[in-house]
Amino acid sequence: MIKTGAEIFIECLLKENVKVLFGIPGGQVLPIFDKIFDARDKIKFVLTRHEQGAGHMADGYARSTGDVGVCIATSGPGAANLTTALATANMDSIPVVAFTGQVVTTLIGNDAFQEADTTGITRPVTKHNFLVKDVKDLARTIREAFYIAKTGRPGPVLVDIPADIQRATTEFVWPEKVDIRSYKPVYSGHIGQIKKVADMINSAKQPLLYVGGGIVSSDASTELLKLAEKIHTPVTTTLMAIGCFPPDHPLNLYMPGMHGNYAANHAFQNCDLIIAIGARFDDRVTGKLSAFAPKAKIIHIDIDPTSISKNVMVDIPIVGDAKNVITELLKYVNKKNNKDWLKKISEWQKANPFSYKKDNKLRPQYIIDKISEITKGEAIVVTEVGQNQMWSAQFYKPKYPRHFLSSGGLGTMGYGFPAAIGAKIANPKKTVIDIAGDGSIQMNIQELATAVLNNINVKIVILNNNCLGMVRQWQEMFYKKRYSAVCLAKPNGCLASELSFKRSPLMIPDFVKLAEAYGAVGIRVTKKEDVENTLIKALKIEKTVVMDFLVEEEENVFPMVPAGAALDEIITSLA
């Protein structure tokens, strides 16, 4: 059947079973939006207030489900506004397909109105991108975009469609199979390598499982648990993998690295074997590379061959899907008992667990502790970036994978709230909570309109310390408390730089009034004793709720490995 490019676009989305599309219209995508109107009963369109918000919503939808998240924007500024969201998804291997409009093909390169080199701009921040210059290629291109996004190491793919291609006509042909000669992901590990790995595990005395987002992407949590228990080996999970291992399991060492668990960091420095699965030895995990894991042999299992030996040289690599490789590996490893190793780790754990002062002050860690307790770890928690992110990683204990969403690699402030909206749309029966700082929430707070108008029942917890907390912490620890441009309450600085500092009586913005202005519910909490009741009350409200917790201004995230230091140079508190 002959169809226009815009009609083919809709047909392709239906073929890919797309249920939700996030975005904003514009001049160069009007033909597509005309057909989105026709398809409104089949595809839910969520009109966002900024393209970055649309990209993060697609990301949150994808992270919380494993399905591809989809967003759309117009040419030029619309496409450029998507780039932060695409870079965020790219760093964390999240399957997103983004569509952008483009000026007509005859004007490309002419500096036409709202023209930008979208493929050039997005090439470094996507897994792949396309510019469609012939309507006959459109269906195949969209088919390939979804295939590339969700296979191998997942990632964002962008398809740039000029306006004349959207209006052009051709026969609609849906390719049932995708065959890209230069792209052949490997899912099964080499059996010879797997046997070598098994021998190394069987002979290790102090092994450590170090697992990342690859476990979540391949749905390998069950297999990971079987492996850890069979070889009796502690498991440390990266920020991307939080929730993939039971939080109360005695083998769970939680997150390693800069603000990671003291015991996990010391386990890295004293183990004789690291079994890395779906993790990429990020610098926030390894600390000083030359001092990282000095006694350990390293096994690296990853579906992306370019990740292996990229940051750390490994002894045995296996390229393959985590679930498949672990399943095969379980046939060859022996049941072990590493009680002496675990006893040593237990002593580190008892000496320095995640903790905070249990006094009468309103401390941010206490609020997150209560969220974990009240929700029993069954809520989907999404974080912004900064201190709120690290405290959430330390104190929220999700029971399941895909229940802790955070911008790990890029560290994007402003990620959390729109991603929470995407996660809630994908999981309407789940409680979804965005834990934010008063700085990060303001970077995409306009999406309150999107949440309220679409009846999206997301809860926002603002840990309001009047400043850009993580930067302030670094300035306190490494720049002699010279607080430069971090105060959000006064133009010329605040906190310890002024002995007479008290919280500014004028709140800019007043988050309670701001929430009410958007039609959401706003609640302010100033006392520790009001935290629990407020959270319980807010979770029962069938509306978007903004909770503004006025927390201690100079609370710090500990433990901390200073930048450039080795993992065992970890600081547990200020002297």
Side-chain angles (χ1 to χ4, degrees):
M1 182 181 292
I2 299 295
K3 291 182 179 291
T4 66
E7 290 170 333
I8 290 171
F9 171 86
I10 296 295
E11 288 294 330
C12 290
L13 263 54
L14 294 173
K15 290 280 188 184
E16 292 289 351
N17 201 27
V18 173
K19 305 290 187 192
V20 186
L21 179 60
F22 304 93
I24 304 179
Q28 303 302 340
V29 280
L30 282 176
I32 284 179
F33 271 83
D34 188 55
K35 299 307 170 188
I36 287 174
F37 182 78
D38 290 339
R40 61 189 182 280
D41 293 336
K42 299 173 183 173
I43 299 173
K44 177 182 176 67
F45 184 78
V46 178
L47 175 61
T48 67
R49 293 300 181 270
H50 193 282
E51 290 85 355
Q52 184 184 349
H56 290 322
M57 288 178 206
D59 179 309
Y61 186 96
R63 289 191 204 227
S64 64
T65 60
D67 298 332
V68 176
V70 188
C71 56
I72 185 168
T74 192
S75 62
N81 284 342
L82 273 180
T83 54
T84 300
L86 293 172
T88 302
N90 195 46
M91 289 287 276
D92 292 344
S93 308
I94 306 304
V96 168
V97 172
F99 295 95
T100 48
Q102 183 55 277
V103 300
V104 297
T105 51
T106 53
L107 287 180
I108 291 177
N110 284 22
D111 294 337
F113 177 66
Q114 290 197 329
E115 183 192 3
D117 177 8
T118 303
T119 51
I121 291 170
T122 61
R123 184 171 294 118
V125 297
T126 53
K127 183 177 178 183
H128 196 68
N129 63 11
F130 298 92
L131 169 62
V132 183
K133 299 179 77 172
D134 188 331
V135 70
K136 294 175 184 173
D137 297 332
L138 183 57
R140 176 186 55 78
T141 301
I142 295 175
R143 182 80 163 103
E144 289 182 358
F146 277 83
Y147 176 76
I148 293 170
K150 64 189 176 187
T151 55
R153 178 180 175 177
V157 178
L158 181 136
V159 183
D160 199 24
I161 311 175
D164 56 326
I165 301 301
Q166 299 169 38
R167 290 191 291 265
T169 58
T170 189
E171 182 81 19
F172 173 60
V173 179
W174 177 248
E176 292 300 329
K177 292 181 64 176
V178 176
D179 185 17
I180 305 172
R181 190 174 62 177
S182 58
Y183 178 69
K184 305 287 183 188
V186 174
Y187 289 92
S188 299
H190 188 281
I191 192 65
Q193 295 291 86
I194 290 174
K195 288 179 178 176
K196 284 182 186 176
V197 163
D199 289 342
M200 195 173 271
I201 292 173
N202 291 338
S203 60
K205 303 296 183 189
Q206 299 189 158
L208 175 66
L209 275 158
Y210 156 54
V211 304
I215 293 289
V216 179
S217 297
S218 67
D219 293 324
S221 296
T222 302
E223 290 75 14
L224 172 65
L225 179 61
K226 288 179 183 175
L227 178 65
E229 290 183 337
K230 186 172 183 181
I231 64 176
H232 202 218
T233 294
V235 180
T236 182
T237 54
T238 68
L239 191 69
M240 294 295 94
I242 289 175
C244 79
F245 199 76
D248 53 354
H249 196 288
L251 292 174
N252 194 336
L253 273 187
Y254 304 102
M255 184 178 73
M258 179 172 281
H259 291 292
N261 191 13
Y262 180 90
N265 285 353
H266 278 268
F268 267 122
Q269 298 305 89
N270 290 277
C271 67
D272 62 359
L273 179 66
I274 294 171
I275 309 155
I277 308 176
R280 60 185 179 88
F281 295 93
D282 174 73
D283 60 291
R284 288 291 171 114
V285 167
T286 63
K288 184 180 180 181
L289 262 183
S290 60
F292 174 69
K295 304 168 187 173
K297 297 282 188 183
I298 299 177
I299 294 163
H300 194 176
I301 300 165
D302 203 291
I303 199 165
D304 179 8
T306 67
S307 288
I308 294 176
S309 292
K310 182 177 182 179
N311 296 324
V312 173
M313 291 302 296
V314 306
D315 295 279
I316 303 181
I318 297 179
V319 177
D321 173 74
K323 190 183 187 87
N324 292 344
V325 173
I326 297 174
T327 300
E328 199 63 26
L329 186 58
L330 279 164
K331 299 175 185 174
Y332 300 101
V333 292
N334 300 330
K335 189 170 178 59
K336 300 186 68 177
N337 186 334
N338 295 316
K339 64 178 182 180
D340 292 340
W341 173 226
L342 290 173
K343 182 181 177 185
K344 191 180 295 185
I345 289 174
S346 176
E347 289 168 359
W348 291 324
Q349 184 64 33
K350 288 176 183 172
N352 284 292
F354 290 134
S355 64
Y356 58 94
K357 283 185 181 176
K358 305 289 174 43
D359 53 17
N360 292 325
K361 294 182 178 179
L362 181 48
R363 298 191 184 276
Q365 304 96 320
Y366 173 78
I367 298 165
I368 300 169
D369 239 355
K370 280 296 169 188
I371 292 172
S372 197
E373 179 185 315
I374 292 167
T375 65
K376 300 176 182 177
E378 295 181 352
I380 296 175
V381 160
V382 190
T383 80
E384 305 286 344
V385 167
Q387 288 181 312
N388 65 83
Q389 178 188 39
M390 292 295 104
W391 284 319
S392 299
Q394 292 177 346
F395 293 99
Y396 183 66
K397 308 291 187 221
K399 275 187 180 176
Y400 314 110
R402 303 191 185 282
H403 280 58
F404 185 86
L405 316 183
S406 193
S407 170
L410 197 64
T412 305
M413 292 175 69
Y415 166 81
F417 179 41
I421 292 174
K424 182 65 179 179
I425 290 174
N427 303 271
K429 294 183 180 178
K430 281 279 182 181
T431 297
V432 178
I433 302 171
D434 171 39
I435 298 179
D438 48 324
S440 54
I441 190 63
Q442 294 187 62
M443 293 194 174
N444 268 315
I445 201 163
Q446 76 285 346
E447 302 304 340
L448 270 171
T450 308
V452 171
L453 287 171
N454 289 279
N455 298 317
I456 299 167
N457 180 7
V458 170
K459 310 306 180 193
I460 304 165
V461 170
I462 301 175
L463 307 176
N464 186 344
N465 57 9
N466 259 343
C467 64
L468 300 171
M470 187 60 87
V471 181
R472 184 211 56 74
Q473 177 174 336
W474 281 55
Q475 290 176 345
E476 177 184 359
M477 296 178 68
F478 309 116
Y479 293 87
K480 301 178 181 177
K481 278 197 170 188
R482 289 162 54 84
Y483 293 149
S484 176
V486 293
C487 181
L488 296 171
K490 296 180 180 180
N492 298 318
C494 56
L495 302 170
S497 60
E498 293 181 14
L499 294 177
S500 61
F501 170 76
K502 290 183 179 177
R503 188 180 287 272
S504 172
L506 180 62
M507 296 183 182
I508 301 177
D510 182 324
F511 288 112
V512 172
K513 289 182 179 176
L514 188 63
E516 291 169 352
Y518 275 105
V521 176
I523 305 172
R524 178 165 296 116
V525 180
T526 60
K527 297 176 182 176
K528 179 180 180 180
E529 55 264 34
D530 294 334
V531 170
E532 185 167 350
N533 286 340
T534 299
L535 288 169
I536 292 171
K537 174 185 167 187
L539 292 178
K540 291 178 179 175
I541 297 173
E542 294 293 329
K543 292 182 70 174
T544 307
V545 180
V546 177
M547 289 165 272
D548 183 23
F549 292 91
L550 305 188
V551 301
E552 286 297 294
E553 292 92 350
E554 291 189 283
E555 190 73 16
N556 289 327
V557 182
F558 287 115
M560 178 177 186
V561 178
L567 288 182
D568 47 10
E569 297 178 76
I570 191 167
I571 299 170
T572 55
S573 65
L574 288 177

